[in-house]
């Protein structure tokens, strides 16, 4: 992938003037290069987020407590940080209704925002608390807290005073048994561990529902988020498809449908890279399991490719007659 579009000599762009014509500055060498330069976008304004210039472990090293690695589906800190920088100002309130180890909260307080999160599993909420304390020990100026509970009942968990106060929601739905976890060499090959959200597969956890149940529960969560959003507030959801028995499960589309049912309006669809950009090329950062799955598929003649990005789905609150907030539906 090239970071900047390149012109080829064999197939000229019919929308561009020929480089040897007077309009292109044929009598003035160098003008075409100058013209191209005017179309280079500021990376901060692109819909492609370069969020994996360093690996996940490098992004978390020293910034998160070591126990954080046990969570099976951690959001890249750079994804949360990019969303917070793009959609909020210092002092704003950020929410993650499925906060896990608290990545969104940690990045928010380091950026001078206040934040709170909801987490169903006590193991992860305890680690999120530890990560917040660690951030404050490192000088983070924002305030954050974690509420234990079921985010599908969001409004029963959150003080009513926060209604209409949230500037930004950043979250990701769970991936259930498709999460990757960690690996180590074993006597009989590679052993997978830390690959579950809990030990007992509590059916109250959305991760253990089928796609329909997951989407329904996520719609309830987003409905609560819509109530908490302030006018002009934004919801950012990261998601990617997974494969089940070789077939692609389209989670991003299910998330968009859930957002619509929750009264949110989809306004953008961005890409958060899970690969680094080096000299105009992508450097993949796959997990062991991604590589294994792709290699196995290709050995059977299926031209499967590595997933190198997360879909980033941006929503705003639909305007209601009562408050006039949000965007026109």
């Amino acid at each position: 992938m090239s970071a900047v579009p390149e012109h080829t000599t064999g197939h000229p762009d019919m929308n561009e003037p020929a480089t040897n014509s007077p309009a292109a500055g044929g009598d003035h060498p160098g003008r075409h290069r100058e013209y191209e330069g005017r179309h280079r976008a500021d990376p901060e304004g692109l819909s492609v987020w370069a969020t994996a210039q360093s690996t996940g472990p490098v992004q978390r090293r020293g910034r998160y407590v070591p126990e954080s690695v046990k969570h099976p589906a951690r959001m890249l800190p750079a994804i949360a940080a990019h969303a917070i920088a793009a959609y909020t100002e210092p002092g704003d309130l950020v929410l993650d209704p499925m906060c896990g180890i608290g990545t969104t909260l940690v990045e928010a307080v380091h950026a001078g925002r206040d934040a709170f999160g909801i987490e169903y599993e006590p193991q992860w909420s305890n680690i999120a608390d530890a990560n917040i304390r660690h951030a404050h020990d490192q000088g983070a100026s924002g305030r954050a807290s974690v509420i234990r509970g079921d985010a599908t009942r969001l409004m029963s968990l959150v003080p009513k005073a926060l209604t209409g106060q949230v500037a930004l929601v950043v979250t990701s739905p769970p991936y259930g048994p498709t999460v990757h976890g960690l690996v180590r060499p074993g006597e009989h090959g590679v052993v997978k561990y830390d690959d579950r959200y809990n030990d007992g597969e509590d059916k109250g956890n959305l991760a253990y529902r089928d796609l329909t149940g997951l989407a329904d529960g996520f719609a309830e969560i987003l409905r609560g988020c819509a109530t908490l959003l302030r006018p002009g507030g934004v919801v950012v959801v990261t998601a990617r498809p997974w494969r089940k028995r070789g077939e692609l499960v389209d989670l991003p589309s299910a998330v968009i449908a859930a957002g619509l049912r929750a009264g949110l309006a989809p306004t953008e669809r961005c890409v958060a890279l899970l690969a680094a950009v080096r000299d105009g090329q992508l450097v993949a950062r796959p997990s062991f399991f991604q590589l294994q799955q792709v290699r196995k598929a290709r050995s059977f003649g299926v031209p499967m490719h590595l997933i190198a990005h997360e879909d980033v789905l941006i929503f705003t609150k639909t305007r209601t007659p009562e408050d006039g907030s949000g965007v026109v539906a």
Side-chain angles (χ1 to χ4, degrees):
M1 170 182 163
S2 176
V4 179
E6 296 178 353
H7 294 281
T8 61
T9 56
H11 300 280
D13 186 341
M14 299 307 294
N15 293 317
E16 295 281 0
T19 56
N20 61 355
S21 71
D27 296 331
H28 304 280
R31 282 190 58 187
H32 187 61
R33 288 194 296 274
E34 179 186 350
Y35 176 81
E36 283 183 337
R38 294 204 303 271
H39 291 270
R40 293 176 183 267
D42 178 355
E44 294 298 315
L46 295 177
S47 63
V48 177
W49 301 2
T51 46
Q53 294 298 89
S54 57
T55 64
V58 169
Q59 290 185 27
R60 297 184 191 94
R61 187 177 301 151
R63 196 172 177 91
Y64 292 78
V65 299
E67 294 79 9
S68 300
V69 72
K70 295 179 177 294
H71 194 282
R74 303 172 299 280
M75 181 183 292
L76 273 181
I79 294 179
H82 186 107
I84 290 162
Y87 297 107
T88 66
E89 299 291 339
D92 281 347
L93 182 61
V94 178
L95 163 64
D96 187 342
M98 307 182 81
C99 72
I101 61 167
T103 300
T104 297
L105 314 186
V106 168
E107 298 307 316
V109 298
H110 273 296
R113 281 68 165 169
D114 295 332
F116 69 102
I118 313 297
E119 177 49 44
Y120 185 79
E121 302 291 347
Q123 177 184 2
W124 311 130
S125 65
N126 290 338
I127 293 176
D129 281 336
N131 278 324
I132 293 168
R133 289 194 297 271
H134 186 59
H136 287 149
D137 289 343
Q138 293 181 319
S141 60
R143 300 167 297 172
S145 62
V146 181
I147 300 171
R148 281 77 170 171
D150 182 354
T152 62
R153 302 173 57 249
L154 187 59
M155 295 311 299
S156 69
L157 302 173
V158 175
K160 292 189 182 301
L162 293 180
T163 299
Q165 300 302 308
V166 172
L168 174 66
V169 175
V170 181
T171 197
S172 179
Y175 294 94
T178 66
V179 296
H180 295 141
L182 302 174
V183 296
R184 61 171 170 252
E187 182 180 350
H188 302 291
V190 172
V191 177
K192 187 176 181 178
Y193 65 103
D194 286 339
D195 59 338
R196 295 183 180 274
Y197 289 95
N198 58 37
D199 294 330
E201 294 193 7
D202 181 352
K203 300 306 179 185
N205 191 315
L206 287 187
Y208 299 106
R209 298 186 186 183
D210 61 15
L211 181 61
T212 300
L214 170 60
D216 289 345
F218 199 60
E220 286 301 314
I221 293 171
L222 293 179
R223 189 170 288 113
C225 292
T227 301
L228 293 171
L229 276 181
R230 73 185 187 188
V234 174
V235 175
V236 173
V237 182
T238 67
R240 55 178 154 169
W242 72 78
R243 291 188 182 273
K244 184 175 182 180
R245 292 189 287 274
E247 294 185 1
L248 201 64
V249 179
D250 189 2
L251 180 60
S253 291
V255 167
I256 292 173
L260 288 168
R261 294 203 304 275
L264 295 169
T267 56
E268 288 187 87
R269 188 166 187 166
C270 299
V271 165
L273 291 181
L274 302 177
V277 180
R278 297 282 186 269
D279 299 322
Q281 302 295 318
L282 291 182
V283 180
R285 302 194 186 283
S287 71
F288 169 85
F289 302 103
Q290 286 176 304
L291 279 175
Q292 184 184 52
Q293 186 180 46
V294 170
R295 286 169 177 166
K296 185 181 296 184
R298 287 180 173 263
S299 72
F300 286 103
V302 179
M304 187 182 293
H305 293 74
L306 285 168
I307 293 176
H309 74 278
E310 293 258 12
D311 285 62
V312 185
L313 310 170
I314 316 296
F315 301 87
T316 52
K317 188 175 180 179
T318 303
R319 180 178 296 168
T320 61
E322 290 78 14
D323 62 14
S325 64
V327 298
V328 178

